[in-house]
Amino acid sequence: MAISLSVVVLLAVILVVLIRGNHIKTGPALVAALFGFFLASSSIAPDVNRFLNSLADTIAGIKL
């Protein structure tokens, strides 16, 4: 849960920066947010969640 919450906050910050910097307009940002909202309630959501958790574990396991 902590990973998903921090990802949501990070993506929200990135979205705000992109909108304020005029790199993305409000309309496309709204469409992207709605897409994410509806994707989260679809039947593919557990697969996406599993993939993102696996990706986070892989990144956390990288030794520099």
Side-chain angles (χ1 to χ4, degrees), residues 29-51:
L30 182 61
V31 169
L34 288 174
F35 173 73
F37 177 77
F38 287 114
L39 180 64
S41 64
S42 71
S43 62
I44 198 172
D47 294 327
V48 172
N49 193 15
R50 229 175 290 126
F51 169 74

Side-chain angles (χ1 to χ4, degrees), residues 3-28:
I3 290 176
S4 63
L5 181 60
S6 60
V7 170
V8 168
V9 171
L10 175 66
L11 291 175
V13 168
I14 291 171
L15 185 61
V16 167
V17 168
L18 288 174
I19 290 172
R20 293 193 47 108
N22 288 328
H23 296 290
I24 187 172
K25 300 294 181 196
T26 307

